Amino acid sequence: MRTGTVVTDLRRVEDGITATLSDGSTVTTDVVLAATGRRPSTRDMGLDLAGVDLHDDARVVVDQHGRTTAEGVWSLGDASSPFQLKHVANHEAGVVAHNLAHPDDLRSYTHTAVPAAVFTHPQIASVGLTEEQARAQGIDITIKVQQYGDTAYGWAMEDTTSICKVIADRRTGRLVGGYLVGPQASTLIQPLIQMMAFDQPVAEMVSGQYWIHPALTEVVENALLGLDLNPSEDLSESPPLA
């Protein structure tokens, strides 16, 4: 990984492809993946003739219910959403389906705690604010980075590189961001999504339920336990025994 650089030239060579970078260095590789991004294919549809407004980036303008600026025209998913994610499109499809059938009881899109995952090796999963974004909003944050290898399952996997990072508001005891890099990251992040979606305090989430030992979810549990929250929230309590 080369940060702060761009590819300025690609050339086929005998043993692969050589990329020249903006810092003057070169990298020779077998395969090049060109990830150029996406944009809504809406500009050539004549939507203006129907009275459907577009954002500057070609996304369809919708209100919180999915209605466009044209009467009777709705939009959802990548064509209009700021989140180009299938699970967001699924949510918006459910909202629009309800609204079409119940025009007097409209539901709204909910874009709270939208997660994302990259199914690479290792997997990468994220939800909420980054450390920098949280600080920019003036939040007094507390951070814990938990190594997979410091839990029983991670130790058994002989994992030395995977991590779970959680970011919380020290004053309110609420989670504001969570990140995982490692095996099952896209699954392990679900408790963090739940906390943010339902505004659950960290203390309630981590001590109000059992966490199976030695499951890999202990990575998330131990990360939450490691947060330095305000003194009124005791994270050391265990759930009451039945």
Side-chain angles (χ1 to χ4, degrees):
M1 180 177 292
R2 307 290 182 89
T3 61
T5 60
V6 296
V7 176
T8 59
D9 185 67
L10 288 172
R11 294 183 183 274
R12 289 193 178 276
V13 294
E14 185 175 333
D15 56 347
I17 302 170
T18 295
T20 302
L21 307 183
S22 55
D23 62 2
S25 63
T26 60
V27 177
T28 300
T29 184
D30 297 325
V31 178
V32 172
L33 171 64
T36 57
R38 299 181 292 174
R39 63 176 177 82
S41 55
T42 55
R43 293 199 186 277
D44 299 324
M45 294 178 64
L47 295 179
D48 56 321
L49 301 177
V52 177
D53 291 347
L54 300 179
H55 290 286
D56 291 341
D57 61 1
R59 285 182 301 113
V60 176
V61 175
V62 296
D63 65 9
Q64 69 269 30
H65 308 300
R67 296 176 296 193
T68 70
T69 52
E71 182 70 26
V73 181
W74 305 68
S75 181
L76 61 93
D78 291 0
S80 50
S81 177
F83 304 97
Q84 294 187 343
L85 297 165
K86 180 62 167 64
H87 42 276
V88 175
N90 290 345
H91 161 73
E92 294 182 354
V95 171
V96 170
H98 170 87
N99 292 344
L100 288 172
H102 304 87
D104 296 325
D105 180 29
L106 297 181
R107 293 179 180 172
S108 299
Y109 291 156
T110 301
H111 292 148
T112 302
V114 175
V118 184
F119 293 88
T120 47
H121 180 75
Q123 288 188 9
I124 304 169
S126 63
V127 64
L129 302 176
T130 65
E131 185 177 336
E132 292 77 11
Q133 290 169 337
R135 286 203 171 98
Q137 292 186 19
I139 301 173
D140 178 19
I141 59 174
T142 173
I143 300 164
K144 171 64 178 178
V145 177
Q146 178 68 48
Q147 303 288 330
Y148 274 45
D150 289 339
T151 64
Y153 200 111
W155 174 82
M157 292 179 3
E158 299 183 348
D159 191 299
T160 60
T161 58
S162 304
I163 62 167
C164 172
K165 177 178 180 178
V166 288
I167 307 165
D169 185 325
R170 193 190 312 271
R171 182 183 61 83
T172 65
R174 260 64 174 182
L175 194 73
V176 298
Y179 298 83
L180 288 107
V181 180
Q184 303 179 37
S186 59
T187 301
L188 292 174
I189 200 168
Q190 196 63 45
L192 305 182
I193 301 168
Q194 176 184 323
M195 292 176 63
M196 296 180 64
F198 295 103
D199 195 30
Q200 291 179 296
V202 170
E204 176 183 300
M205 180 68 173
V206 76
S207 65
Q209 63 178 322
Y210 286 100
W211 297 76
I212 294 175
H213 175 81
L216 196 52
T217 45
E218 286 187 316
V219 173
V220 176
E221 178 194 19
N222 288 354
L224 296 173
L225 285 168
L227 289 168
D228 180 21
L229 298 170
N230 64 53
S232 65
E233 296 186 344
D234 182 5
L235 302 187
S236 63
E237 275 189 16
S238 299
L241 295 176

